[in-house]
């Protein structure tokens, strides 16, 4: 019997509660840690989110508050994001892989009061920025035992006794995420995404691609970019499929091969890197194997032997890349080079390019009480050039 949803919820927290009603025991999230996939059901996620929200509220986080995420894909980051939004607050994700200079300008410009960071390297960035957050959480305690940064707590220290909170009614037009970046002039810009916009775009994407709750999606960068929130996180909550976080960026190719996801979201750099990996797996030029491969690949499709060989080659390559079960490949941002488009087409993979642009606004100069972004960039330019790419569009 088909599932029925009389009316789709209008905010991300409502979508989470709706998934718990539809499929409470289905695995919603997997995160690989120390080589083992850990699993959380939709019910687990809601329970943990409520616990995180209770702890945030006890420390003064309210509907007008924002939480800055400076973390790679982690369950704690996702739970905090959902908890923040359930309290009516907004999430401000920053990519920890930005350059030191970029992060310093952004941290000083945003001047966050509530922060979640990955570990020692990210806490060092907070200390160097000289900001004074009301709460600074970290996930990985390694190397941080002697740190004296004000209001610095581990996730375990942060979680207090659970107190049930009333469900807060959040307006669909309220902002769920605010993404910050630097434009080509080095000025701070931001893009705000409302619950309503995220859900409408997710519904449109699901209608276009046929995504369902049966998908397995790999998320290498969590919420670091607007594209991830628009085309992965929101569709995940709308469609109810399974989201997977790799152990880390270094293992993502192995994790993807092991997982064999049905949904992959990436940039042109992502797909170009994977194509390069495939090329490295092809037979070495000049060998007998390579001559057989080249012959088969260049034959007409009506040649039975060539048809069988190309099918075998395609299957082996897709399995080696973790694309054996891939149904939907989504590209954010700049288009893929034609050679890579042709390569993926030869594997039977059609990559759909998504719009990356959105409304961005310059942040008023008074947003930074510590140091203006412009002056910080001008000073730091003498040491190193910031990444010219706009993180809002990745």
């Amino acid at each position: 019997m088909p599932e029925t949803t009389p009316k789709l919820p209008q905010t991300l927290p409502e979508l989470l509660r709706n998934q718990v009603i539809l499929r409470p025991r289905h695995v919603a999230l997997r995160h690989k840690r120390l080589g083992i996939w850990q699993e959380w059901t939709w019910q687990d996620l809601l329970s943990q989110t409520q616990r995180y929200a209770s702890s945030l509220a006890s420390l003064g986080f309210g509907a007008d508050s924002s939480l800055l995420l400076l973390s790679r894909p982690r369950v704690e980051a996702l739970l905090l994001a959902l908890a923040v939004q359930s309290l009516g607050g907004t999430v401000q994700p920053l990519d920890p892989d930005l350059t030191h200079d970029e992060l310093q300008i952004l941290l000083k410009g945003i001047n966050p009061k509530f922060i979640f960071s990955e570990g020692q390297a990210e806490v060092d960035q907070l200390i160097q920025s000289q900001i004074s957050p009301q709460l600074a959480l970290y996930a990985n305690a390694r190397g941080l035992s002697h740190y004296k940064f004000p209001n610095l707590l581990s996730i375990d220290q942060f979680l207090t006794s659970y107190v049930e909170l009333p469900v807060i009614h959040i307006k669909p037009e309220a902002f769920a995420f605010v993404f910050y970046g630097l434009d080509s002039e080095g000025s701070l810009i931001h893009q705000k995404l409302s619950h309503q916009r995220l859900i409408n775009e997710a519904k449109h994407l699901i209608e276009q691609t046929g995504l369902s709750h049966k998908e397995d999606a790999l998320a290498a960068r969590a919420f670091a970019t607007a594209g991830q929130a628009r085309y992965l996180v929101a569709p995940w909550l709308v469609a109810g499929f399974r989201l997977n976080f790799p152990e880390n960026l270094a293992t993502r190719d192995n994790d993807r091969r092991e997982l064999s996801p049905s949904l992959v979201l990436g940039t042109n750099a992502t797909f170009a890197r994977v194509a390069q990996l495939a090329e490295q797996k092809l037979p070495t030029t000049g060998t007998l194997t390579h001559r057989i491969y080249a012959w088969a690949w260049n034959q007409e499709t009506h040649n039975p032997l060539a048809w069988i060989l190309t099918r075998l080659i395609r299957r082996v390559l897709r399995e080696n890349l973790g694309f054996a079960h891939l149904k939907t490949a989504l590209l954010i941002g700049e288009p893929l080079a034609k050679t890579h488009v042709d390569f993926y087409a030869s594997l039977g993979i059609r990559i759909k390019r998504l719009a990356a642009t959105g409304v961005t606004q310059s942040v008023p100069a008074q947003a930074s009480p510590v140091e203006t972004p412009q002056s910080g960039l001008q000073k730091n330019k003498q040491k190193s050039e910031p990444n010219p790419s706009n993180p809002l569009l990745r």
Side-chain angles (χ1 to χ4, degrees):
M1 178 180 296
E3 295 173 338
T4 57
T5 50
K7 182 181 179 182
L8 189 67
Q10 298 299 301
T11 67
L12 301 185
E14 289 176 1
L15 283 172
L16 173 59
R17 291 193 290 272
N18 189 57
Q19 290 300 338
V20 174
I21 294 172
L22 292 175
R23 44 186 72 88
R25 297 184 183 279
H26 285 207
V27 175
L29 177 68
R30 298 201 306 175
H31 184 193
K32 198 173 188 182
R33 287 183 179 174
L34 301 176
I36 299 174
W37 288 102
Q38 311 289 330
E39 297 182 345
W40 289 263
T41 66
W42 286 106
Q43 181 63 65
D44 293 335
L45 281 188
L46 178 60
S47 300
Q48 288 295 321
T49 297
Q50 290 172 333
R51 189 179 178 207
Y52 276 60
S54 170
S55 299
L56 280 171
S58 70
L59 293 172
F61 192 97
D64 297 329
S65 304
S66 298
L67 173 76
L68 185 139
L69 293 179
L70 188 60
S71 171
R72 294 172 181 80
R74 298 190 68 95
V75 176
E76 296 89 344
L78 179 59
L79 290 171
L80 279 166
L82 294 171
V84 163
Q85 290 158 354
S86 72
L87 293 171
T90 55
V91 181
Q92 302 168 330
L94 282 186
D95 188 347
D97 291 325
L98 292 173
T99 67
H100 169 78
D101 289 348
E102 288 174 316
L103 282 176
Q104 288 299 301
I105 296 169
L106 289 164
L107 287 169
K108 292 173 183 176
I110 300 169
N111 192 24
K113 297 303 178 188
F114 294 87
I115 302 172
F116 172 75
S117 56
E118 178 91 11
Q120 185 178 20
E122 291 73 29
V123 172
D124 286 343
Q125 290 282 359
L126 303 182
I127 294 172
Q128 291 172 36
S129 69
Q130 299 181 358
I131 59 176
S132 300
Q134 186 174 330
L135 174 66
L137 301 172
Y138 58 88
N140 188 345
R142 181 175 297 177
L144 290 171
S145 61
H146 64 286
Y147 274 44
K148 303 300 182 186
F149 191 62
N151 305 317
L152 184 66
L153 295 176
S154 71
I155 278 291
D156 291 338
Q157 293 170 321
F158 154 73
L159 289 173
T160 58
S161 299
Y162 170 68
V163 176
E164 186 171 354
L165 301 173
V167 175
I168 298 175
H169 176 68
I170 302 164
K171 294 181 178 178
E173 59 270 25
F175 295 118
F177 289 96
V178 181
F179 292 88
Y180 287 89
L182 301 175
D183 65 13
S184 58
E185 301 297 324
S187 298
L188 204 65
I189 55 175
H190 67 243
Q191 180 183 5
K192 295 181 177 181
L193 295 178
S194 68
H195 292 266
Q196 190 172 47
R197 176 177 172 182
L198 285 166
I199 293 172
N200 288 340
E201 289 186 345
K203 288 165 57 181
H204 183 62
L205 178 68
I206 290 168
E207 290 171 0
Q208 280 189 315
T209 58
L211 294 176
S212 74
H213 68 281
K214 298 179 181 178
E215 314 298 338
D216 252 316
L218 183 67
R221 291 185 179 275
F223 325 119
T225 67
Q228 293 280 354
R230 295 169 65 191
Y231 302 123
L232 196 62
V233 176
W236 166 65
L237 288 169
V238 173
F241 53 76
R242 186 160 54 191
L243 196 58
N244 300 273
F245 292 164
E247 185 142 19
N248 54 59
L249 287 180
T251 68
R252 59 185 160 174
D253 291 321
N254 287 334
D255 293 342
R256 186 185 56 252
R257 184 163 50 246
E258 181 182 326
L259 178 68
S260 192
S262 59
L263 170 62
V264 169
L265 178 74
T267 63
N268 60 354
T270 303
F271 287 106
R273 181 180 55 78
V274 176
Q276 190 174 22
L277 286 177
E279 291 171 1
Q280 294 170 359
K281 297 179 183 298
L282 293 176
T284 305
T285 303
T287 63
L288 175 61
T289 310
H290 184 268
R291 287 198 290 273
I292 295 174
Y293 155 76
W295 171 83
W297 213 256
N298 292 311
Q299 292 300 304
E300 298 294 336
T301 55
H302 56 72
N303 185 316
L305 179 58
W307 184 84
I308 293 172
L309 285 173
T310 53
R311 294 275 294 183
L312 287 173
I313 293 168
R314 182 181 297 128
R315 178 177 176 180
V316 170
L317 278 176
R318 287 186 62 134
E319 288 178 350
N320 269 282
L321 297 175
F323 289 160
H325 300 105
L326 183 63
K327 290 167 49 184
T328 308
L330 304 176
L331 169 70
I332 305 174
E334 297 298 317
L336 204 57
K338 186 177 184 306
T339 53
H340 293 139
V341 173
D342 293 342
F343 165 76
Y344 283 106
S346 71
L347 296 182
I349 297 172
R350 179 178 176 270
I351 299 176
K352 179 177 178 55
R353 187 183 173 206
L354 301 169
T357 56
V359 177
T360 59
Q361 298 176 340
S362 297
V363 174
Q366 60 268 28
S368 170
V370 180
E371 183 179 19
T372 62
Q374 291 81 358
S375 62
L377 178 64
Q378 288 163 355
K379 181 176 66 176
N380 291 320
K381 268 185 174 178
Q382 298 174 2
K383 298 178 180 178
S384 64
E385 289 294 332
N387 187 341
S389 60
N390 183 349
L392 302 181
L393 308 184
R394 287 185 286 165

